């Protein structure tokens, strides 16, 4: 959370000349998930099984949410899984990007959802992430690559927190008051998450071509963004 907040604040200052944005004004999907959980769960009695990176774990810690599952888990055979005791206090399963994801984590999450009826929560559903390669970018599998197998196995739709769900948009309005749709702009590099988030929230959209989306993709979109630009600095033009 803190790393991403610093990145966003730095980018807004460097590119757009908007300095000193308060940390509380940078809402990540991890923060939104933590707020969602804190408003729903019994903090004293219930736990979260977390499939995610360390930064996500620290965000839940900040909100006093009891969780486990971080880091590598050893392989278990069918005999060991047959003897595995499902903790009845695990009422939530949160699945984000996890470099240590393996069959053991998949199976444990599956058991909590199917045997505990734990709520299955996804902070974001990005199909791809983009990374720099030379003068261009390269796509790599995103969070959805971790979620897809579990979603297929449990046959249960997860609760989406991040884009394109409008949950964060509604949460921001609860925290800060109503947003003027005519003065609100969704900027992003993904049509499937960023632009559809803007469409779902009824706000203007600006697609930047410096990440997932490419210029040749735009014509094939079912609905066109309001603005298309090479990078985020284009909003100053």
């Amino acid at each position: 959370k803190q790393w991403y907040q610093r990145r966003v604040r730095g980018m807004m200052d460097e590119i757009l000349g908007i300095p000193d944005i308060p940390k509380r004004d940078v809402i990540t999907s991890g923060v939104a998930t933590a707020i969602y959980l804190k408003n729903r769960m019994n903090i004293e009695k219930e736990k979260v099984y977390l499939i995610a990176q360390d930064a996500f774990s620290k965000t839940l810690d900040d909100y006093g949410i009891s969780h486990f599952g971080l880091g590598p888990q050893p392989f278990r055979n069918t005999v060991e899984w047959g003897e595995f005791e499902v903790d009845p206090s695990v009422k939530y399963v949160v699945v984000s990007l996890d470099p240590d994801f393996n069959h053991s984590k998949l199976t444990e999450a599956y058991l909590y959802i199917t045997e505990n009826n734990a709520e299955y929560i996804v902070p974001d559903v990005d199909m791809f992430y983009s990374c720099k390669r030379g003068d261009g970018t390269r796509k790599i599998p995103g969070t959805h690559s971790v979620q897809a197998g579990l979603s297929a196995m449990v046959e249960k739709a997860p609760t989406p927190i991040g884009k394109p769900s409008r949950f964060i948009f509604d949460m921001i309005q609860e925290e800060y008051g109503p947003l003027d749709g005519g003065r609100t702009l969704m900027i992003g590099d993904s049509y499937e998450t960023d632009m559809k988030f803007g469409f779902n929230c009824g706000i203007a959209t600006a697609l930047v071509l410096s990440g997932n989306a490419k210029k040749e993709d735009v014509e094939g979109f079912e609905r066109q963004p309001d603005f298309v630009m090479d990078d985020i600095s284009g909003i100053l033009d």
Side-chain angles (χ1 to χ4, degrees), residues 90-107:
V90 179
K91 297 299 183 183
Y92 302 89
V93 172
V94 175
V95 182
S96 186
L97 189 67
D98 184 350
D100 297 310
F101 184 69
N102 60 10
H103 181 266
S104 291
K105 290 193 174 190
L106 172 67
T107 304

Side-chain angles (χ1 to χ4, degrees), residues 92-156:
Y92 302 89
V93 172
V94 175
V95 182
S96 186
L97 189 67
D98 184 350
D100 297 310
F101 184 69
N102 60 10
H103 181 266
S104 291
K105 290 193 174 190
L106 172 67
T107 304
E108 193 163 349
Y110 169 83
L111 293 175
Y112 292 131
I113 294 170
T114 57
E115 296 189 11
N116 271 5
N117 197 30
E119 183 175 0
Y120 173 25
I121 299 169
V122 292
D124 72 85
V125 293
D126 287 299
M127 189 74 71
F128 297 102
Y129 295 140
S130 61
C131 55
K132 286 187 177 181
R133 177 172 171 79
D135 294 331
T137 59
R138 164 183 279 171
K139 286 184 178 181
I140 60 173
T143 306
H144 185 70
S145 64
V146 176
Q147 300 159 349
L150 180 60
S151 297
M153 295 301 298
V154 300
E155 298 181 344
K156 179 179 182 180

Side-chain angles (χ1 to χ4, degrees), residues 12-237:
M12 295 297 284
D13 187 1
E14 178 182 350
I15 299 176
L16 303 181
I18 306 175
D20 303 323
I21 297 176
K23 288 183 180 179
R24 70 181 299 269
D25 289 351
V26 181
I27 311 279
T28 66
S29 60
V31 170
T33 302
I35 292 173
Y36 176 83
L37 288 166
K38 191 163 187 176
N39 290 340
R40 289 178 64 87
M41 68 186 294
N42 184 327
I43 295 291
E44 302 299 324
K45 296 182 179 180
E46 296 178 340
K47 298 177 186 175
V48 173
Y49 181 63
L50 178 65
I51 297 177
Q53 301 182 72
D54 183 63
F56 205 110
S57 170
K58 291 177 180 177
T59 300
L60 296 190
D61 289 340
D62 290 344
Y63 284 81
I65 295 169
S66 178
H67 62 89
F68 67 101
L70 195 67
Q73 287 194 25
F75 175 80
R76 292 187 176 98
N77 59 37
T78 53
V79 173
E80 291 171 310
W81 281 118
E83 297 172 346
F84 180 82
E85 296 294 335
V86 174
D87 183 346
S89 69
V90 179
K91 297 299 183 183
Y92 302 89
V93 172
V94 175
V95 182
S96 186
L97 189 67
D98 184 350
D100 297 310
F101 184 69
N102 60 10
H103 181 266
S104 291
K105 290 193 174 190
L106 172 67
T107 304
E108 193 163 349
Y110 169 83
L111 293 175
Y112 292 131
I113 294 170
T114 57
E115 296 189 11
N116 271 5
N117 197 30
E119 183 175 0
Y120 173 25
I121 299 169
V122 292
D124 72 85
V125 293
D126 287 299
M127 189 74 71
F128 297 102
Y129 295 140
S130 61
C131 55
K132 286 187 177 181
R133 177 172 171 79
D135 294 331
T137 59
R138 164 183 279 171
K139 286 184 178 181
I140 60 173
T143 306
H144 185 70
S145 64
V146 176
Q147 300 159 349
L150 180 60
S151 297
M153 295 301 298
V154 300
E155 298 181 344
K156 179 179 182 180
T159 300
I161 300 296
K163 304 166 295 184
S165 164
R166 59 174 289 140
F167 173 82
I168 292 181
F169 186 77
D170 294 333
M171 186 199 73
I172 290 172
Q173 294 190 94
E174 290 177 9
E175 292 284 324
Y176 297 94
L179 292 173
D180 181 352
R183 292 171 51 85
T184 306
L185 177 65
M186 175 64 216
I187 307 169
D189 68 353
S190 169
Y191 181 81
E192 290 299 323
T193 54
D194 300 327
M195 297 303 99
K196 288 186 176 180
F197 173 79
F199 301 155
N200 290 338
C201 298
I203 57 178
T205 52
L207 180 70
V208 294
L209 303 177
S210 54
N212 284 319
K214 304 300 180 188
K215 190 172 183 178
E216 57 268 25
D217 299 332
V218 177
E219 288 186 5
F221 291 154
E222 181 179 353
R223 176 177 173 179
Q224 291 296 303
D226 296 293
F227 307 98
V228 178
M229 55 196 71
D230 290 333
D231 55 52
I232 193 172
S233 66
I235 68 172
L236 298 176
D237 296 339

